[in-house]
Amino acid sequence: FPVTIAERDIIISDSWATNLIEDNNYITVGNRVRQIDHLFRIADVTYYLESKCNLNFDSEKVRASNEKVCEIAVTIGNVHAAYFVPVVAEVPEKELNKYKNKGMDVVGVNWMLSKINAPFTSEEYFTFMKEVIAPILEEMGL
């Protein structure tokens, strides 16, 4: 999204989840600084989500992305790590299985909205994406 981390994660900040990256979305992993897409806590469970709009990338890129997620998860410690696909309500079973076989979870918009108890529906989310976000992305040539 062409917005700042604070603007993007306001939904999490305004939910019943505790947004753990509201002020800073970077973490040092070994000697590298990594950006975190989503990190929040609900009750005593911490979730780290790496946003991916497209899960169909080559095996080398899959391996590198999975390693990044795992390294960040280990650095954070005691966290449920997954890919978050912000462009689908439900992740297709084929993709779920493909990533599960690699030890990774993948969640869609419906999962996220239910977890954080969002004050809007999945339908409203996708309407906003279509009517507000899509024109911005098109204007940027994306």
Side-chain angles (χ1 to χ4, degrees), residues 58-116:
D58 65 55
S59 60
E60 189 173 308
K61 197 165 189 176
V62 167
R63 189 172 21 262
S65 288
N66 289 351
E67 286 174 7
K68 174 188 175 188
V69 170
C70 290
E71 288 172 355
I72 290 173
V74 167
T75 300
I76 295 167
N78 196 25
V79 64
H80 176 90
Y83 286 110
F84 169 55
V85 187
V87 295
V88 298
E90 297 289 339
V91 179
E93 193 70 29
K94 176 183 172 186
E95 296 299 322
L96 290 174
N97 289 333
K98 177 175 133 182
Y99 280 84
K100 184 177 271 189
N101 290 338
K102 292 176 175 47
M104 300 297 297
D105 286 333
V106 183
V107 299
V109 171
N110 290 349
W111 179 92
M112 172 70 96
L113 297 182
S114 70
K115 275 293 176 201
I116 66 171

Side-chain angles (χ1 to χ4, degrees), residues 88-90 108-111 113 118 120-129:
V88 298
E90 297 289 339
V109 171
N110 290 349
W111 179 92
L113 297 182
F120 50 86
T121 66
S122 180
E123 183 178 291
E124 291 169 322
Y125 169 88
F126 285 108
T127 297
F128 178 79
M129 293 290 282

Side-chain angles (χ1 to χ4, degrees), residues 45-60:
V45 179
T46 301
Y47 298 91
Y48 158 55
L49 305 178
E50 180 74 19
S51 291
K52 292 285 182 207
C53 290
N54 180 6
L55 294 171
N56 296 315
F57 37 77
D58 65 55
S59 60
E60 189 173 308

Side-chain angles (χ1 to χ4, degrees), residues 2 124-138:
E124 291 169 322
Y125 169 88
F126 285 108
T127 297
F128 178 79
M129 293 290 282
K130 181 180 177 182
E131 294 177 359
V132 178
I133 301 299
I136 293 170
L137 294 176
E138 287 171 8

